[in-house]
């Protein structure tokens, strides 16, 4: 997985806490984290679709079909960050999501773990969109679109394994 242009946390280093949300740096921190999560999801869904032969082909096909949507989410966030003058490489980001997914031993484990991550991201996106609705409606709309798409991503865990958040 190519991490550029992001800066990764070093071994044993935690991602810096986001700055206060009401500051430009705080919004940038949240958008950077979301963009990196989308980039990891792009890679993870392709990796899982080819790696896990212990789940139905239909699920692997569904994972592969999510990649263009994750790429769209990444482009939306990065494009908006560029418009706002925010940098992807200003502060380090964590590979924690990828490492947790890479550790999965079965397709079911991967499906449930990524669904949980997608749901946490969806919830954070809802809160961010709500917070920004009057302050920055353009960014709010981007996160509203993303959280709408994520519902179907999370639903795969229910469809195949009966898991709901």
């Amino acid at each position: 997985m190519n991490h550029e242009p992001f800066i990764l946390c070093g071994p044993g280093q935690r991602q810096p806490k986001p700055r206060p949300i009401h500051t430009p740096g705080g919004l940038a921190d949240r958008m950077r984290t979301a963009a990196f999560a989308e980039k990891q999801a792009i890679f993870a869904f392709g990796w899982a679709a080819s790696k896990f032969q212990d789940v139905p082909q239909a699920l692997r096909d569904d994972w592969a079909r999510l990649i263009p949507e994750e790429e769209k989410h990444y482009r939306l966030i990065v494009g908006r960050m560029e418009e706002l003058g925010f940098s992807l490489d200003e502060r380090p980001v964590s590979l924690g999501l990828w490492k947790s997914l890479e550790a999965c031993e079965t397709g079911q484990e991967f499906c449930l773990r990524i669904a949980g991550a997608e749901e946490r991201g969806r919830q954070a996106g809802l809160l961010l969109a709500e917070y920004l609705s009057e302050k920055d409606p353009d960014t709010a709309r981007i996160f509203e679109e993303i959280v709408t798409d994520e519902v179907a991503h999370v639903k795969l865990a229910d469809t195949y394994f009966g898991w709901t958040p």
Side-chain angles (χ1 to χ4, degrees):
M1 181 169 118
N2 178 353
H3 306 108
E4 292 179 7
F6 297 95
I7 298 171
L8 300 180
C9 294
Q13 181 186 21
R14 297 192 64 166
Q15 183 169 328
K17 289 180 76 165
R19 293 169 281 191
I21 184 66
H22 63 276
T23 66
L27 179 56
D29 291 347
R30 286 156 180 84
M31 292 179 76
R32 182 179 309 102
T33 297
F36 192 59
E38 297 293 348
K39 188 165 190 167
Q40 290 174 93
I42 293 164
F43 184 80
F45 281 124
W47 171 79
S50 65
K51 176 179 175 57
F52 295 114
Q53 303 299 310
D54 63 326
V55 295
Q57 181 64 47
L59 175 55
R60 295 193 315 269
D61 293 344
D62 285 338
W63 287 335
R65 278 191 284 276
L66 294 181
I67 295 168
E69 212 162 75
E70 298 291 3
E71 290 171 334
K72 176 186 80 169
H73 298 164
Y74 178 78
R75 285 191 310 273
L76 286 169
I77 297 168
V78 170
R80 184 65 180 144
M81 288 181 73
E82 288 173 0
E83 291 171 4
L84 294 170
F86 297 160
S87 174
L88 291 170
D89 62 357
E90 179 183 357
R91 297 179 83 186
V93 292
S94 170
L95 268 175
L97 173 60
W98 168 246
K99 288 180 180 182
S100 75
L101 297 172
E102 184 181 42
C104 292
E105 295 183 14
T106 67
Q108 179 177 356
E109 183 182 1
F110 172 85
C111 187
L112 300 180
R113 190 164 293 165
I114 199 158
E118 295 262 297
E119 178 59 20
R120 286 187 302 279
R122 193 181 78 74
Q123 292 297 326
L126 283 170
L127 292 173
L128 186 57
E130 182 180 326
Y131 174 79
L132 294 172
S133 63
E134 292 184 19
K135 296 166 188 60
D136 182 351
D138 292 336
T139 303
R141 277 190 292 278
I142 287 169
F143 281 94
E144 288 165 357
E145 180 176 345
I146 292 169
V147 299
T148 299
D149 291 346
E150 298 294 358
V151 170
H153 301 192
V154 173
K155 180 124 177 73
L156 289 179
D158 179 40
T159 300
Y160 289 93
F161 301 109
W163 179 88
T164 54

